[in-house]
Amino acid sequence: MPRKKGLVVQIVLLALIVTLPTLFNALITVKLDDLTSPISLALGDFRATPSSRMRRFTVDILSVSSITNPDLLAAQRDAFAAHPSVRHIFNATEHDDADPDCHTQLSWSEMERVVKFCRPKRRELMLQANYARMEWLRKKANPIGWLCAQVRPLSGLRKVYKHYIETREVLPDFLLVMDDDTWYDMEHFVTNFGGWNTSEASYHAGCLIRFSIGTNQANFSAPFGGYGSIMSRGTLENLFRPMNCPSFGPAIGEYESQYSLREICNRLDEDRVKERRYFRNGMNLVELMYEYSSTEKYRDVASWTTGYCMHSDWVLGYFANFYYASEHVAPATEEEKKWMDIVPHLRIQAYRGSEIYRKATGICKIECKAGHEGTEICHRATAEWFKMKLNAKSAAPQEQPLQTDTLVHRQIPK
């Protein structure tokens, strides 16, 4: 009998030895889940763990599209999905807008009223003098569709943010925000950005637009949506972090950045584009941009108070530049340094110096058409263009996903 008891004890001890590590790990996991919020997981608090140090270089894409162009969106999706660096392709259409029926229900007279509201004789806000004129809108194939789409990149960013929160998925190395007729050669992209330190907050525009506002200096910049925006993981972290200002009541969450809370709150107090009324403590920049662009809808123009008087590219440019979403642009020449140093809100870098200021340079001059098959980036692609690119990719040797370990910052070659 004692021998049997001893055998039972040995079996129990052996079972404990085998199962204790698993139980211990489970307890740790539960504890971490209790202490880690969805936002901190989305911001990649665990990205430095040994299991994730060697990881695949990942790019997510947000394509701003329309339910009226399903073939174009499908062709673009197929072309980009063929590259191993592309993890997700999100799309934003009318279904994601706060007013999904705007494109069919907004009347011509309401559009005229929007333009009149946004281009007053006495201009108090930034960029009001540059807002779309009716003469310019009439030349577009679908003026009402274009106007209604000015909220869509912001609706799309909110959709992407909610995905990361709900899935607790680690942020990508880069998020590309583009139109559904935008082409990026991902081989070139990986070559140029694969060695980038993506924890640094960088924001590149495929084509950068510069404005002079009240001076002779190009003191405002924004991405040309058709050529895309390239946002690093560090920039996404800044866009997704909650903000708090004492004058708005008790703090909700925290804002951790190289910039002080005072500077963020000072921007709100300046209220340059009437954004202050939409802010609540605990909001992040993506949520603020969405509320700013979608609260007062175009079809409600008769009852507007501040309205929404920005083109979508301007919204991205304003909040990225003035709310420190990315690091300050490094001047490429001594001439640039003379004026860049006195404009602290220049935080969007032109890709390979491609910009529009007085005239177009670099990528800004390139459209997706015959003769430009080898371009890195182009605008106004057709479904046939994307299919041509997909077929070329299918015929080429398959690329292996880029594995990233130690990333170093480097400039894109000119």
Side-chain angles (χ1 to χ4, degrees):
M1 192 71 174
R3 182 176 298 177
K4 289 184 178 179
K5 286 185 178 179
L7 182 60
V8 170
V9 170
Q10 290 178 23
I11 292 172
V12 171
L13 287 173
L14 181 62
L16 286 172
I17 291 170
V18 172
T19 59
L20 269 176
T22 302
L23 290 171
F24 182 70
N25 286 336
L27 286 171
I28 291 176
T29 302
V30 171
K31 191 66 176 176
L32 285 175
D33 286 343
D34 289 341
L35 293 176
T36 308
S37 66
I39 181 63
S40 61
L41 283 171
L43 295 183
D45 286 349
F46 52 85
R47 64 176 176 267
T49 58
S51 61
S52 64
R53 284 186 64 186
M54 180 62 75
R55 55 185 174 75
R56 182 165 68 95
F57 177 79
T58 55
V59 178
D60 287 351
I61 295 173
L62 169 60
S63 178
V64 181
S65 186
S66 171
I67 57 176
T68 62
N69 297 321
D71 293 341
L72 183 61
L73 181 58
Q76 184 193 49
R77 176 183 293 272
D78 291 344
F80 279 111
H83 197 275
S85 68
V86 177
R87 183 179 65 171
H88 294 305
I89 303 175
F90 303 94
N91 63 275
T93 68
E94 288 84 350
H95 294 315
D96 300 295
D97 296 341
D99 183 6
D101 297 320
C102 176
H103 68 296
T104 58
Q105 299 300 317
L106 185 71
S107 68
W108 191 271
S109 62
E110 286 172 330
M111 182 175 67
E112 290 179 324
R113 194 163 183 170
V114 167
V115 172
K116 186 175 181 180
F117 184 99
C118 293
R119 293 184 60 88
K121 292 181 180 179
R122 182 179 178 183
R123 292 160 186 161
E124 299 176 352
L125 303 181
M126 290 176 58
L127 299 168
Q128 278 189 312
N130 300 88
Y131 194 79
R133 296 174 180 270
M134 282 304 303
E135 295 82 1
W136 182 77
L137 284 170
R138 289 192 186 98
K139 296 177 183 179
K140 288 192 165 293
N142 183 4
I144 288 176
W146 179 89
L147 184 66
C148 293
Q150 294 314 298
V151 304
R152 199 157 303 145
L154 301 321
S155 303
L157 277 174
R158 179 173 175 262
K159 179 179 182 177
V160 171
Y161 164 68
K162 289 175 69 176
H163 166 85
Y164 295 142
I165 292 296
E166 291 167 1
T167 62
R168 298 189 170 196
E169 192 169 33
V170 177
L171 295 179
D173 290 294
F174 288 97
L175 174 69
L176 304 184
V177 182
M178 63 180 67
D179 289 350
D180 58 2
D181 61 352
T182 303
W183 165 253
Y184 271 58
D185 185 311
M186 294 307 297
E187 292 302 317
H188 278 288
F189 185 85
V190 171
T191 298
N192 289 330
F193 288 94
W196 203 272
N197 181 358
T198 58
S199 63
E200 292 183 4
S202 66
Y203 187 149
H204 287 78
C207 172
L208 187 70
I209 303 173
R210 297 191 188 276
F211 293 92
S212 295
I213 307 174
T215 70
N216 291 324
Q217 296 290 352
N219 56 8
F220 180 78
S221 61
F224 189 144
Y227 291 91
S229 290
I230 305 166
M231 303 178 184
S232 73
R233 186 175 67 237
T235 292
L236 294 178
E237 290 174 359
N238 287 339
L239 290 173
F240 294 163
R241 284 196 179 96
M243 302 179 293
N244 292 283
C245 294
S247 60
F248 287 84
I252 301 174
E254 297 180 355
Y255 187 90
E256 299 173 1
S257 170
Q258 60 178 309
Y259 303 100
S260 69
L261 179 64
R262 180 179 299 176
E263 288 176 291
I264 296 292
C265 297
N266 284 346
R267 286 295 188 218
L268 279 168
D269 289 336
E270 289 173 1
D271 205 23
R272 290 172 180 255
V273 295
K274 301 299 181 186
E275 73 272 26
R276 191 178 191 276
R277 67 193 62 203
Y278 300 108
F279 177 77
R280 300 184 304 276
N281 271 350
M283 268 187 171
N284 60 38
L285 285 175
V286 167
E287 293 167 322
L288 179 56
M289 286 189 285
Y290 176 80
E291 293 296 325
Y292 176 77
S293 61
S294 297
T295 299
E296 296 200 338
K297 303 173 180 61
Y298 291 120
R299 286 197 288 163
D300 298 330
V301 63
S303 59
W304 271 10
T305 54
T306 56
Y308 173 48
C309 293
M310 297 270 271
H311 298 180
S312 60
D313 296 343
W314 302 352
V315 178
L316 288 172
Y318 175 72
F319 284 97
N321 283 316
F322 284 81
Y323 282 83
Y324 314 109
S326 56
E327 296 178 7
H328 194 276
V329 172
T333 65
E334 286 300 317
E335 185 61 30
E336 282 188 352
K337 183 174 174 58
K338 291 177 183 178
W339 62 269
M340 278 190 177
D341 286 349
I342 61 174
V343 187
H345 49 267
L346 286 180
R347 298 178 178 275
I348 304 179
Q349 179 79 48
Y351 181 83
R352 293 189 182 275
S354 303
E355 61 179 50
I356 298 175
Y357 180 60
R358 298 194 177 101
K359 65 178 182 178
T361 62
I363 297 293
C364 301
K365 298 186 293 184
I366 298 178
E367 294 187 5
C368 303
K369 59 184 182 181
H372 294 157
E373 289 84 357
T375 185
E376 301 170 54
I377 301 171
C378 61
H379 181 31
R380 298 188 176 90
T382 61
E384 288 69 29
W385 173 279
F386 289 123
K387 291 174 184 177
M388 177 266 292
K389 288 294 184 180
L390 178 60
N391 292 335
K393 176 67 178 176
S394 300
Q398 294 299 307
E399 296 289 335
Q400 294 300 314
L402 176 67
Q403 302 292 327
T404 61
D405 186 4
T406 304
L407 297 175
V408 294
H409 175 83
R410 58 188 176 86
Q411 293 290 331
I412 298 173
K414 297 291 186 183

